[in-house]
Amino acid sequence: MANLMVDQIIESPLEGTRAETPLGSAFDDTQALTPPKLKGRRRLLQKLQRISSSPSLSNMGITPSPAYRSGCGGSMSCISLASPLASYGPSYAASPLSVNYSTAPTTPSDPANLEMGKPSSGIRLVRNEIMEYTQPTTVPVPASVRPCSRPLNPEGCIPKSGADVEVARKLKKRENVDFWREMPDEIKVEILRYLTPKEIVRCSAVSKFWYKMCFDGQLWTSLDASEFYTDIPAESLIKIITSAGPFVRDLNLRGCRQLRKPNWRTEALTKSCNNLVNASLEGCRIEQNPIQDIIVRNHRLAHLNISGLSGVTNTTCKIIAESCPQLELLNVSWCAHMDAQGLRRIVENCLKLKDLRASEIRGFEGNESMECLFNTNTLERLVLNGCDSLTDEALKVLCEGSGKDIDSLTGRTTAPPRKLRHLDLSRCHRLTDAGVKSLAENVPGLEGLQLSGCKELTDAALTNLISSVPKLTHLDLEEVLELTNVSLQNLAKAPCKDCLEHLSISYCEKLGDTGMLPVLKACPALRNVEMDNTRTSDLVLAEAASIIRQRNALLAKNSPNGRPRVGLRMVVYDCQNVTWTGVREVLSRNAEIRRPTPGSPVPSYPSEIIQLKCFYGWQMTVEEHTKRVLRGDLAAASRLERKWAEYMMANEEAGAQGAGVRRRRRRAREAQMMHADEEEGGTGAGGVGRRRRARSGGCIVM
């Protein structure tokens, strides 16, 4: 037995004896059991197992693997010799035969490399139960080198308590998570607020859950159906109103004509909408009873617009007076079945009323309603547009009262001044100078005055009034035919000249340059001038262009590189004295770039321009020129203005008689074609011409 080589010894697990076999047979069996090359995760585990059994761990003060025994200079691997992928048997590190020998896998195909009898030679032991997988096929990594942030138990495993299991269950990846359904309702509502009402109604068709969410009342606290009622069916609109009723505070159903009697659920509306603060039912075809029910159930109404409803009567006004003590704005314009008596009840009971709009309301012949308005003195805006029954006497009662306590020194009434800021008396045809004169010294805070269509007024009516309203910003004198330039000259000297922003003198055929030139020079805040069908000429346009040029010089220091904006709007169509030269002056000033001067070394660009509305044949050119200036393309705007001027001059020359008529007409046609090309787009920023419009003699068939 001592003469046998160690490689010829085979251990018998059954009897504990050793059988002798030829050496070549052992090599053949071992060579047949050579495992394939591992890859990936298994290769990593194999390397970790080799590292864990290395003797170098002892030098690091690390406990070696339990399957490793050291006692000699050799090394012993703890790699399993039996695995599903290879026919290696289990490790024999604990066997007595493995003392002083290495059990690491070797290549036994070359027996010449083995040195018999040397302890340092690698010897492989093969058992009979190689193909039986009854023992563990892997060796765990030592506990001392295992990467873990928690203490290990004696078996080398992380203890799993109930808390660990609970945390693992919570951290487990969830599948099929409905992110939108689990989101808080407040966030859903805030997200849906970014959608338009039409888009929200479309989203309601996704599912029942979305339907319930889209018709949530919190989403419709402010319901303005005036912009989308034509795109949403009546059923959906009614559903929105009824479902969001308790939450709705602002309700605007202006123009909802599809809500007629068959679809209009009056009971649902009146029962659900009980917290309205602002309500507008203008243009809705609602009967008298539903209107009254809505008013009775909403005691906190502050703004109510029921203009144009045939169901509004004096009884409705009585209910408003009794049910809406917080009312501040009331619009009952064009309600044909009520009169001034209904307004008197509202004014007497609604002491917070500041804005009353009653256009085309009858019954102002008597002074009771105006006396009530005089006594309360809370109105800041009064609109009596088209009230033909309003007389001079009623207007005097509104301003001075019926007592007429006159101061002996000044000759004026001692009544306190009115709080009116905006007064609209347009198309009150029975008003004369006597009634308008009563406004003087009684409305010092007046900011807007509209007297358009009062054809009986003259310069005498405005002389004292204009001088007593220093805060006047809007003055509408359209179609006051008897006015002359004297009124405009007085306006240029009035205290309100620095505040005036809007002036309308359209169809005042007696007004011209004599009155408008002083107004343009004296009113620096003027932003809108309407003077169509008057006698104004090109001098007014040239003066306006010069004023805007002066404004640009002052604004150049504040915004030297900003894009221009519209500083003055002028309406001059149907003015017989306005020609294309005046329009050209405005266009050239709009695109003017001021050259550097000793005071300003850099060129200055226009900050404000004039937006012009002129003759229809020139309007397309003017609008295109304005677009180019507003977007900053001043070179293209100047080119368009130059070619349009050439076309206009050639057109005038073509109409002249004498020699060279054909040549002048040909030049006029060429100038017209060049102007048309430029008006359609001109050249681009790089100077490359755009595609020209195709011109032919027209369709022969048509």
Side-chain angles (χ1 to χ4, degrees), residues 131-360:
M131 302 304 296
E132 298 180 3
Y133 308 106
T134 59
Q135 297 183 6
T137 59
T138 60
V139 177
V141 179
S144 58
V145 298
R146 186 179 302 174
C148 181
S149 60
R150 300 184 58 186
L152 305 178
N153 54 13
E155 289 76 11
C157 301
I158 300 176
K160 294 185 178 180
S161 60
D164 296 335
V165 176
E166 183 67 19
V167 172
R169 187 183 64 82
K170 290 183 178 180
L171 296 179
K172 185 179 180 181
K173 184 177 180 181
R174 300 172 58 186
E175 299 180 357
N176 300 327
V177 179
D178 192 345
F179 180 76
W180 180 259
R181 185 180 294 272
E182 297 184 4
M183 186 183 298
D185 294 339
E186 293 78 5
I187 300 179
K188 297 177 188 176
V189 172
E190 192 64 26
I191 293 174
L192 291 176
R193 289 185 190 277
Y194 289 93
L195 301 179
T196 61
K198 184 177 179 180
E199 293 172 345
I200 295 176
V201 174
R202 286 181 177 178
C203 292
S204 64
V206 175
S207 62
K208 293 183 179 179
F209 175 75
W210 278 77
Y211 181 84
K212 181 180 179 181
M213 180 177 54
C214 290
F215 288 103
D216 190 349
Q218 299 180 16
L219 193 60
W220 304 96
T221 55
S222 179
L223 179 57
D224 186 1
S226 60
E227 299 180 357
F228 62 86
Y229 72 93
T230 56
D231 301 328
I232 295 181
E235 294 78 8
S236 300
L237 185 57
I238 294 172
K239 176 64 177 178
I240 294 173
I241 297 173
T242 54
S243 62
F247 299 90
V248 176
R249 294 173 56 88
D250 302 331
L251 179 63
N252 186 2
L253 300 179
R254 181 179 180 182
C256 297
R257 295 180 176 269
Q258 75 270 34
L259 299 178
R260 299 181 181 179
K261 189 174 182 180
N263 295 328
W264 184 253
R265 301 176 184 176
T266 307
E267 298 81 4
L269 175 65
T270 55
K271 292 180 180 179
S272 58
C273 298
N274 298 327
N275 298 318
L276 294 179
V277 177
N278 304 320
S280 177
L281 304 177
E282 180 182 356
C284 297
R285 298 181 180 180
I286 309 177
E287 301 297 332
Q288 181 179 0
N289 293 334
I291 297 174
Q292 296 177 1
D293 292 341
I294 294 174
I295 296 172
V296 169
R297 293 179 178 273
N298 295 273
H299 299 281
R300 294 183 294 178
L301 274 174
H303 298 78
L304 180 61
N305 183 5
I306 51 176
S307 59
L309 300 183
S310 59
V312 177
T313 61
N314 289 339
T315 305
T316 307
C317 295
K318 181 180 178 181
I319 295 174
I320 293 174
E322 296 174 353
S323 304
C324 303
Q326 307 295 328
L327 194 64
E328 298 180 2
L329 183 148
L330 177 63
N331 190 351
V332 290
S333 301
W334 308 293
C335 294
H337 296 88
M338 62 167 293
D339 54 19
Q341 295 299 325
L343 292 178
R344 182 175 61 84
R345 294 180 180 179
I346 295 175
V347 173
E348 290 176 350
N349 293 274
C350 300
L351 301 180
K352 296 183 178 181
L353 189 64
K354 297 180 180 180
D355 192 339
L356 178 60
R357 306 178 186 184
S359 300
E360 298 185 7

Side-chain angles (χ1 to χ4, degrees), residues 32 55 107 121 191 215 374 409 635-636:
T107 306
S121 300
I191 293 174
F215 288 103
F374 174 80
L409 297 178

Side-chain angles (χ1 to χ4, degrees), residues 345-642:
R345 294 180 180 179
I346 295 175
V347 173
E348 290 176 350
N349 293 274
C350 300
L351 301 180
K352 296 183 178 181
L353 189 64
K354 297 180 180 180
D355 192 339
L356 178 60
R357 306 178 186 184
S359 300
E360 298 185 7
I361 298 298
R362 300 173 288 104
F364 285 102
E365 295 88 353
N367 298 332
E368 294 82 4
S369 301
M370 292 299 179
E371 182 69 23
C372 183
L373 291 175
F374 174 80
N375 294 331
T376 56
N377 194 20
T378 59
L379 291 180
E380 296 181 359
R381 180 188 294 269
L382 179 60
V383 178
L384 300 176
N385 183 12
C387 295
D388 293 333
S389 59
L390 184 64
T391 60
D392 294 337
E393 185 65 23
L395 189 57
K396 289 181 180 180
V397 173
L398 174 64
C399 297
E400 301 176 354
S402 58
K404 293 184 179 181
D405 297 331
I406 305 299
D407 190 352
S408 58
L409 297 178
T410 60
R412 302 187 183 122
T413 180
T414 58
R418 305 295 92 191
K419 297 181 180 180
L420 287 173
R421 299 174 57 189
H422 301 276
L423 181 60
D424 187 358
L425 301 176
S426 302
R427 295 187 297 111
C428 294
H429 301 295
R430 299 177 65 178
L431 288 180
T432 61
D433 294 346
V436 176
K437 286 181 180 179
S438 62
L439 296 174
E441 305 296 340
N442 291 320
V443 284
L446 195 65
E447 298 178 3
L449 178 60
Q450 298 181 14
L451 298 173
S452 61
C454 298
K455 300 180 180 180
E456 301 296 331
L457 299 181
T458 60
D459 297 333
L462 299 178
T463 301
N464 296 331
L465 176 60
I466 292 176
S467 60
S468 63
V469 284
K471 299 181 180 180
L472 189 66
T473 59
H474 290 69
L475 181 59
D476 189 355
L477 302 175
E478 181 179 354
E479 207 173 349
V480 182
L481 303 179
E482 299 300 326
L483 289 181
T484 63
N485 292 323
V486 176
S487 298
L488 296 181
Q489 293 174 357
N490 294 332
L491 180 62
K493 302 176 183 179
C496 63
K497 62 181 181 180
D498 296 330
C499 302
L500 190 64
E501 298 179 2
H502 175 85
L503 177 62
S504 177
I505 56 173
S506 301
Y507 291 94
C508 295
E509 298 179 355
K510 296 182 179 181
L511 300 181
D513 298 342
T514 307
M516 278 305 305
L517 289 176
V519 171
L520 291 176
K521 295 179 181 179
C523 300
L526 200 60
R527 292 292 180 268
N528 194 354
V529 180
E530 299 179 4
M531 48 186 179
D532 55 285
N533 292 278
T534 59
R535 295 183 179 181
T536 54
S537 64
D538 296 338
L539 294 177
V540 176
L541 297 181
E543 183 64 27
S546 177
I547 292 174
I548 293 298
R549 189 171 183 269
Q550 295 176 4
R551 290 184 187 177
N552 292 333
L554 296 176
L555 296 175
K557 298 180 180 180
N558 299 332
S559 57
N561 297 326
R563 286 191 178 183
R565 63 178 184 273
V566 177
L568 178 61
R569 292 178 174 87
M570 302 184 70
V571 180
V572 294
Y573 62 86
D574 293 340
C575 294
Q576 297 180 359
N577 298 328
V578 174
T579 63
W580 67 271
T581 55
V583 176
R584 184 195 178 186
E585 180 68 18
V586 173
L587 299 184
S588 62
R589 294 297 184 182
N590 286 346
E592 180 184 15
I593 301 177
R594 304 186 66 177
R595 297 181 178 180
T597 60
S600 58
V602 295
S604 60
Y605 299 90
S607 300
E608 293 185 355
I609 64 172
I610 298 177
Q611 185 177 5
L612 199 62
K613 188 175 181 180
C614 57
F615 179 61
Y616 175 77
W618 308 335
Q619 188 61 32
M620 294 181 62
T621 302
V622 173
E623 291 179 355
E624 179 62 26
H625 186 277
T626 304
K627 290 180 182 178
R628 297 185 183 186
V629 173
L630 291 177
R631 68 172 180 253
D633 195 356
L634 301 181
S638 300
R639 186 170 54 252
L640 175 62
E641 175 262 326
R642 184 177 65 255

